[in-house]
Amino acid sequence: MDDIITTHRLTKTYGSRTVVDDLDLRVPRGSVYGFLGPNGSGKSTTMKMLLSLVRPSRGQIHLFGRPMNRDTRPDLLRKVGSLIEAPPGYAHLTGRENMAIVQRMLGLDDRQISRAVSTVRLQEHMTKPVRAYSLGMKQRLGIAMALAREPRLLVLDEPTNGLDPAGIEEIRELLVSLAANGTTVMVSSHLLDEIDRTASVLGILGRGRLIFQGTRAELFDRSLPDLLVDTPEPERALALGVPAVRAERGIRLSGFDDEDTAALVRRLVEGGVPIHGVRRVQQTLEEVFMDLTGREGLV
Ligand SMILES: Nc1ncnc2c1ncn2[C@@H]1O[C@H](COP(=O)(O)OP(=O)(O)OP(=O)(O)O)[C@@H](O)[C@H]1O
Ligand SMILES: [Mg+2]
């Protein structure tokens, strides 16, 4: 059993609206699973179902290879740490006092608490009230609270939300090092580039449906890199009616496979366009995502 989370046809409807639609998730052990999708695509609802905070309308969830049901739930969720939406913690209490509450609630020892605090590098700030924390420090405290129980699975909903680039980088490094030490991490974001290099596996949601699941390499394999045609006369190329946009040294085209490219070059040459070079440029994850969601099809 090498998947830490699997779902089968997981669905949530509110009234007549289906907000999470037939999801078959596979989150491999030891991965950082980047759960991506635009605002309102169903990421938080899915994570809440995984954590039993929202009841699924249909479908099944397995955690650690065991089915989630009334009998298994307490035992399964004991091994899961989570941070959903706003960072938790009482603002008028210090970091230390907040961690002490977690310690008492979960019956943890001092070593577990100090380890969680040092993992997120908050040791020096534990005597400050949380209201005096920066947003990044609050997020880190939330992650420390989730980590204290030494979970096998960490579920984080937009932990980089509102952070500056340095704060985002810090969280990324933390997630990668947690995964390297055996904790499986599922992390959501609506900003695709935030997760880009951190995640070993990606799940991409669009309107409640899983439109892609797999590695970054698999995602890029499914996309055709853009084509750049270097020419000093881009206007002449555009006048031929090719579906291109102006680029720095010529024109740029999307979705051209090898055959399309050969036909394009022939057409440009016959139209008298001087061609200095033709190259492929890898799209960003953002561009691939737009392609996928724009095409609407299921991959
Ligand atoms: N309790 C609820 N009742 C009715 N509709 C809901 C409820 N909770 C969420 N929704 C709707 O479900 C859809 C998915 O919401 P969800 O919060 O899961 O999206 P998300 O991907 O987390 O978005 P964001 O990036 O903004 O956090 C949205 O259209 C939302 O309005
Ligand atoms: Mg959300």
Side-chain angles (χ1 to χ4, degrees):
M1 219 18 255
D2 254 11
D3 288 321
I4 292 294
I5 303 174
T6 59
T7 68
H8 180 63
R9 311 202 66 171
L10 186 63
T11 300
K12 181 68 192 179
T13 55
Y14 285 113
S16 61
R17 255 193 90 206
T18 301
V19 300
V20 173
D21 195 358
D22 237 7
L23 293 196
D24 289 343
L25 300 178
R26 299 269 171 282
V27 177
R29 179 191 306 275
S31 60
V32 174
Y33 184 97
F35 196 39
L36 304 174
N39 289 130
S41 54
K43 303 179 297 293
S44 297
T45 304
T46 302
M47 288 176 145
K48 287 177 190 164
M49 287 194 282
L50 296 174
L51 297 165
S52 294
L53 299 172
V54 160
R55 182 195 293 271
S57 307
R58 271 199 305 285
Q60 289 93 43
I61 297 170
H62 281 69
L63 295 186
F64 316 110
R66 288 170 64 202
M68 175 90 90
N69 56 44
R70 192 176 305 173
D71 297 333
T72 59
R73 179 171 295 125
D75 195 36
L76 293 178
L77 291 180
R78 201 168 298 131
K79 301 174 199 142
V80 183
S82 63
L83 175 61
I84 297 290
E85 287 164 359
Y90 297 102
H92 64 287
L93 300 181
T94 65
R96 189 181 311 289
E97 288 162 341
N98 273 289
M99 289 306 291
I101 292 173
V102 172
Q103 179 172 12
R104 274 199 302 277
M105 263 172 25
L106 299 177
L108 305 175
D109 59 40
D110 292 347
R111 187 197 55 86
Q112 288 172 299
I113 295 297
S114 61
R115 228 178 103 166
V117 169
S118 63
T119 301
V120 300
R121 288 192 280 128
L122 265 185
Q123 305 92 307
E124 276 134 53
H125 306 288
M126 293 308 282
T127 54
K128 279 188 207 159
V130 168
R131 73 171 112 71
Y133 278 18
S134 69
L135 186 57
M137 285 156 66
K138 284 181 193 156
Q139 296 285 51
R140 273 149 60 202
L141 179 67
I143 295 174
M145 290 170 144
L147 278 177
R149 61 172 72 191
E150 301 181 272
R152 289 173 60 194
L153 169 66
L154 196 57
V155 176
L156 304 174
D157 194 9
E158 311 236 11
T160 49
N161 214 359
L163 300 189
D164 60 19
I168 291 170
E169 190 51 38
E170 207 165 284
I171 300 267
R172 277 185 183 147
E173 284 169 15
L174 175 61
L175 301 187
V176 170
S177 77
L178 285 170
N181 288 312
T183 311
T184 303
V185 181
M186 181 182 194
V187 55
S188 72
S189 180
H190 64 281
L191 295 176
L192 307 175
D193 286 345
E194 275 183 9
I195 301 292
D196 197 349
R197 280 169 206 294
T198 312
S200 45
V201 184
L202 301 169
I204 300 181
L205 273 191
R207 298 166 195 247
R209 305 202 63 138
L210 195 62
I211 49 182
F212 174 82
Q213 183 169 242
T215 63
R216 288 168 48 80
E218 286 163 350
L219 179 61
F220 283 121
D221 276 353
R222 300 208 185 170
S223 79
L224 281 171
D226 281 0
L227 201 61
L228 278 183
V229 179
D230 293 337
T231 172
E233 296 186 38
E235 296 308 335
R236 185 185 284 228
L238 294 175
L240 292 173
V242 298
V245 294
R246 285 286 300 265
E248 202 180 329
R249 287 195 290 163
I251 55 171
R252 182 173 181 133
L253 307 98
S254 298
F256 275 62
D257 64 16
D258 290 346
E259 264 178 46
D260 295 339
T261 304
L264 172 78
V265 170
R266 216 161 31 239
R267 189 165 158 201
L268 292 175
V269 170
E270 282 166 3
V273 178
I275 297 177
H276 291 180
V278 178
R279 26 194 189 110
R280 294 269 184 199
V281 281
Q282 185 61 66
Q283 292 168 297
T284 61
L285 182 59
E286 191 92 38
E287 289 163 340
V288 174
F289 176 78
M290 290 301 176
D291 256 21
L292 285 177
T293 46
R295 278 193 274 122
E296 238 180 23
L298 298 180
V299 182

